Short mmCIF file of all heavy atoms in Angstrom, two decimals:
data_model
loop_
_atom_site.label_atom_id
_atom_site.label_comp_id
_atom_site.label_asym_id
_atom_site.label_seq_id
_atom_site.Cartn_x
_atom_site.Cartn_y
_atom_site.Cartn_z
N PHE R 215 0.85 -1.18 0.00
CA PHE R 215 0.00 0.00 0.00
C PHE R 215 0.89 1.23 0.00
O PHE R 215 2.07 1.15 0.30
CB PHE R 215 -0.92 0.02 1.23
CG PHE R 215 -2.03 -0.99 1.18
CD1 PHE R 215 -1.78 -2.34 1.32
CD2 PHE R 215 -3.35 -0.58 1.02
CE1 PHE R 215 -2.80 -3.27 1.28
CE2 PHE R 215 -4.38 -1.49 0.99
CZ PHE R 215 -4.11 -2.84 1.12
N ARG R 216 0.30 2.36 -0.32
CA ARG R 216 1.05 3.60 -0.28
C ARG R 216 0.17 4.74 0.20
O ARG R 216 -1.05 4.70 0.04
CB ARG R 216 1.66 3.93 -1.64
CG ARG R 216 0.64 4.24 -2.73
CD ARG R 216 1.33 4.38 -4.08
NE ARG R 216 0.41 4.74 -5.13
CZ ARG R 216 0.73 4.81 -6.42
NH1 ARG R 216 1.98 4.52 -6.81
NH2 ARG R 216 -0.18 5.15 -7.32
N GLN R 217 0.80 5.73 0.77
CA GLN R 217 0.08 6.89 1.26
C GLN R 217 0.88 8.14 0.94
O GLN R 217 2.00 8.32 1.41
CB GLN R 217 -0.17 6.79 2.76
CG GLN R 217 -1.07 7.89 3.30
CD GLN R 217 -1.56 7.59 4.70
OE1 GLN R 217 -0.94 6.83 5.43
NE2 GLN R 217 -2.69 8.18 5.06
N ALA R 218 0.29 8.99 0.12
CA ALA R 218 0.89 10.26 -0.23
C ALA R 218 0.43 11.33 0.75
O ALA R 218 -0.60 11.18 1.40
CB ALA R 218 0.50 10.64 -1.66
N PRO R 219 1.18 12.42 0.86
CA PRO R 219 0.79 13.49 1.77
C PRO R 219 -0.61 14.01 1.48
O PRO R 219 -0.95 14.30 0.33
CB PRO R 219 1.84 14.58 1.51
CG PRO R 219 3.03 13.83 1.02
CD PRO R 219 2.47 12.71 0.20
N GLY R 220 -1.42 14.09 2.51
CA GLY R 220 -2.77 14.60 2.37
C GLY R 220 -3.76 13.64 1.75
O GLY R 220 -4.91 14.03 1.49
N LYS R 221 -3.36 12.41 1.50
CA LYS R 221 -4.24 11.43 0.89
C LYS R 221 -4.33 10.19 1.77
O LYS R 221 -3.47 9.93 2.61
CB LYS R 221 -3.74 11.04 -0.50
CG LYS R 221 -3.61 12.21 -1.46
CD LYS R 221 -3.17 11.77 -2.83
CE LYS R 221 -4.25 11.00 -3.56
NZ LYS R 221 -3.86 10.67 -4.96
N GLU R 222 -5.38 9.43 1.56
CA GLU R 222 -5.56 8.21 2.31
C GLU R 222 -4.70 7.09 1.74
O GLU R 222 -4.26 7.15 0.58
CB GLU R 222 -7.03 7.79 2.34
CG GLU R 222 -7.59 7.37 0.99
CD GLU R 222 -9.05 7.01 1.07
OE1 GLU R 222 -9.82 7.78 1.66
OE2 GLU R 222 -9.43 5.93 0.56
N ARG R 223 -4.46 6.10 2.55
CA ARG R 223 -3.68 4.96 2.10
C ARG R 223 -4.43 4.21 1.00
O ARG R 223 -5.63 3.96 1.11
CB ARG R 223 -3.39 4.03 3.27
CG ARG R 223 -2.46 2.89 2.93
CD ARG R 223 -2.12 2.05 4.16
NE ARG R 223 -1.41 2.83 5.17
CZ ARG R 223 -0.84 2.31 6.24
NH1 ARG R 223 -0.89 1.00 6.45
NH2 ARG R 223 -0.23 3.10 7.11
N GLU R 224 -3.71 3.85 -0.06
CA GLU R 224 -4.33 3.16 -1.17
C GLU R 224 -3.61 1.86 -1.48
O GLU R 224 -2.41 1.71 -1.29
CB GLU R 224 -4.37 4.05 -2.42
CG GLU R 224 -3.01 4.40 -2.99
CD GLU R 224 -3.09 5.18 -4.28
OE1 GLU R 224 -4.19 5.27 -4.87
OE2 GLU R 224 -2.06 5.73 -4.71
N PHE R 225 -4.37 0.92 -2.00
CA PHE R 225 -3.85 -0.37 -2.39
C PHE R 225 -2.99 -0.25 -3.63
O PHE R 225 -3.32 0.48 -4.56
CB PHE R 225 -5.01 -1.34 -2.63
CG PHE R 225 -4.61 -2.62 -3.28
CD1 PHE R 225 -4.01 -3.63 -2.55
CD2 PHE R 225 -4.83 -2.83 -4.63
CE1 PHE R 225 -3.64 -4.82 -3.14
CE2 PHE R 225 -4.47 -4.01 -5.23
CZ PHE R 225 -3.87 -5.01 -4.49
N VAL R 226 -1.88 -1.00 -3.64
CA VAL R 226 -0.98 -1.02 -4.79
C VAL R 226 -0.96 -2.40 -5.45
O VAL R 226 -1.22 -2.53 -6.64
CB VAL R 226 0.44 -0.61 -4.39
CG1 VAL R 226 1.39 -0.73 -5.59
CG2 VAL R 226 0.45 0.82 -3.85
N ALA R 227 -0.62 -3.42 -4.69
CA ALA R 227 -0.50 -4.76 -5.24
C ALA R 227 -0.50 -5.78 -4.12
O ALA R 227 -0.18 -5.46 -2.97
CB ALA R 227 0.78 -4.90 -6.07
N GLN R 228 -0.84 -7.02 -4.44
CA GLN R 228 -0.80 -8.09 -3.47
C GLN R 228 -0.42 -9.39 -4.14
O GLN R 228 -0.55 -9.55 -5.35
CB GLN R 228 -2.15 -8.25 -2.75
CG GLN R 228 -3.28 -8.73 -3.65
CD GLN R 228 -4.61 -8.83 -2.92
OE1 GLN R 228 -4.93 -7.98 -2.08
NE2 GLN R 228 -5.39 -9.85 -3.24
N ILE R 229 0.03 -10.33 -3.32
CA ILE R 229 0.42 -11.64 -3.83
C ILE R 229 0.13 -12.69 -2.78
O ILE R 229 0.31 -12.47 -1.58
CB ILE R 229 1.91 -11.65 -4.25
CG1 ILE R 229 2.26 -12.94 -4.99
CG2 ILE R 229 2.82 -11.44 -3.04
CD1 ILE R 229 3.60 -12.88 -5.70
N SER R 230 -0.30 -13.85 -3.23
CA SER R 230 -0.54 -14.98 -2.35
C SER R 230 0.73 -15.79 -2.17
O SER R 230 1.45 -16.04 -3.14
CB SER R 230 -1.64 -15.87 -2.94
OG SER R 230 -1.72 -17.11 -2.27
N TRP R 231 1.01 -16.19 -0.95
CA TRP R 231 2.19 -17.00 -0.70
C TRP R 231 2.13 -18.34 -1.42
O TRP R 231 3.11 -18.81 -1.99
CB TRP R 231 2.37 -17.26 0.80
CG TRP R 231 2.90 -16.11 1.59
CD1 TRP R 231 2.25 -15.43 2.57
CD2 TRP R 231 4.20 -15.52 1.48
NE1 TRP R 231 3.06 -14.45 3.09
CE2 TRP R 231 4.25 -14.48 2.44
CE3 TRP R 231 5.31 -15.76 0.68
CZ2 TRP R 231 5.39 -13.68 2.61
CZ3 TRP R 231 6.43 -14.96 0.84
CH2 TRP R 231 6.47 -13.94 1.80
N SER R 232 0.96 -18.97 -1.39
CA SER R 232 0.84 -20.33 -1.91
C SER R 232 0.78 -20.40 -3.42
O SER R 232 1.53 -21.15 -4.06
CB SER R 232 -0.38 -21.01 -1.30
OG SER R 232 -1.57 -20.30 -1.61
N SER R 233 -0.11 -19.64 -4.02
CA SER R 233 -0.33 -19.73 -5.46
C SER R 233 0.49 -18.73 -6.27
O SER R 233 0.71 -18.93 -7.46
CB SER R 233 -1.81 -19.53 -5.78
OG SER R 233 -2.22 -18.20 -5.50
N GLY R 234 0.89 -17.64 -5.64
CA GLY R 234 1.57 -16.59 -6.37
C GLY R 234 0.63 -15.70 -7.16
O GLY R 234 1.09 -14.85 -7.93
N ASN R 235 -0.68 -15.88 -6.99
CA ASN R 235 -1.64 -15.03 -7.67
C ASN R 235 -1.47 -13.59 -7.24
O ASN R 235 -1.27 -13.30 -6.06
CB ASN R 235 -3.07 -15.49 -7.38
CG ASN R 235 -3.42 -16.77 -8.08
OD1 ASN R 235 -2.75 -17.18 -9.02
ND2 ASN R 235 -4.48 -17.42 -7.62
N THR R 236 -1.56 -12.70 -8.21
CA THR R 236 -1.32 -11.29 -7.95
C THR R 236 -2.53 -10.44 -8.30
O THR R 236 -3.38 -10.84 -9.09
CB THR R 236 -0.11 -10.78 -8.75
OG1 THR R 236 -0.36 -10.97 -10.15
CG2 THR R 236 1.15 -11.53 -8.35
N LEU R 237 -2.56 -9.27 -7.73
CA LEU R 237 -3.59 -8.29 -8.01
C LEU R 237 -2.95 -6.92 -7.94
O LEU R 237 -2.17 -6.64 -7.03
CB LEU R 237 -4.73 -8.40 -6.99
CG LEU R 237 -5.92 -7.45 -7.17
CD1 LEU R 237 -6.70 -7.82 -8.43
CD2 LEU R 237 -6.83 -7.50 -5.95
N TYR R 238 -3.28 -6.06 -8.90
CA TYR R 238 -2.69 -4.74 -8.97
C TYR R 238 -3.76 -3.66 -9.05
O TYR R 238 -4.84 -3.87 -9.62
CB TYR R 238 -1.81 -4.60 -10.22
CG TYR R 238 -0.61 -5.51 -10.24
CD1 TYR R 238 -0.67 -6.75 -10.84
CD2 TYR R 238 0.59 -5.10 -9.67
CE1 TYR R 238 0.43 -7.58 -10.87
CE2 TYR R 238 1.69 -5.92 -9.69
CZ TYR R 238 1.61 -7.16 -10.30
OH TYR R 238 2.71 -7.98 -10.33
N ALA R 239 -3.43 -2.53 -8.49
CA ALA R 239 -4.25 -1.36 -8.71
C ALA R 239 -4.11 -0.91 -10.16
O ALA R 239 -3.05 -1.06 -10.77
CB ALA R 239 -3.84 -0.23 -7.77
N ASP R 240 -5.17 -0.36 -10.71
CA ASP R 240 -5.13 0.08 -12.10
C ASP R 240 -4.03 1.10 -12.35
O ASP R 240 -3.44 1.14 -13.43
CB ASP R 240 -6.48 0.68 -12.50
CG ASP R 240 -7.56 -0.37 -12.65
OD1 ASP R 240 -7.23 -1.56 -12.80
OD2 ASP R 240 -8.75 0.01 -12.64
N SER R 241 -3.74 1.91 -11.36
CA SER R 241 -2.77 2.98 -11.53
C SER R 241 -1.34 2.48 -11.72
O SER R 241 -0.48 3.23 -12.19
CB SER R 241 -2.82 3.93 -10.32
OG SER R 241 -2.53 3.24 -9.13
N VAL R 242 -1.07 1.23 -11.36
CA VAL R 242 0.29 0.71 -11.46
C VAL R 242 0.42 -0.47 -12.40
O VAL R 242 1.54 -0.96 -12.62
CB VAL R 242 0.85 0.32 -10.07
CG1 VAL R 242 0.75 1.50 -9.11
CG2 VAL R 242 0.12 -0.89 -9.51
#
């Protein structure tokens, strides 16, 4: 996740330990 000054924390990317499946925010 990331948080810029004056903004709320936003999701960036995630990964599962077992499967390696990933998910990304559209912005990245």
Side-chain angles (χ1 to χ4, degrees):
F215 288 71
R216 66 188 183 187
Q217 187 167 23
K221 302 182 70 175
E222 67 181 48
R223 186 176 298 190
E224 65 175 348
F225 169 78
V226 176
Q228 67 182 38
I229 189 167
S230 168
W231 284 116
S232 59
S233 68
N235 288 343
T236 60
L237 182 68
Y238 296 92
D240 288 341
S241 60
V242 305

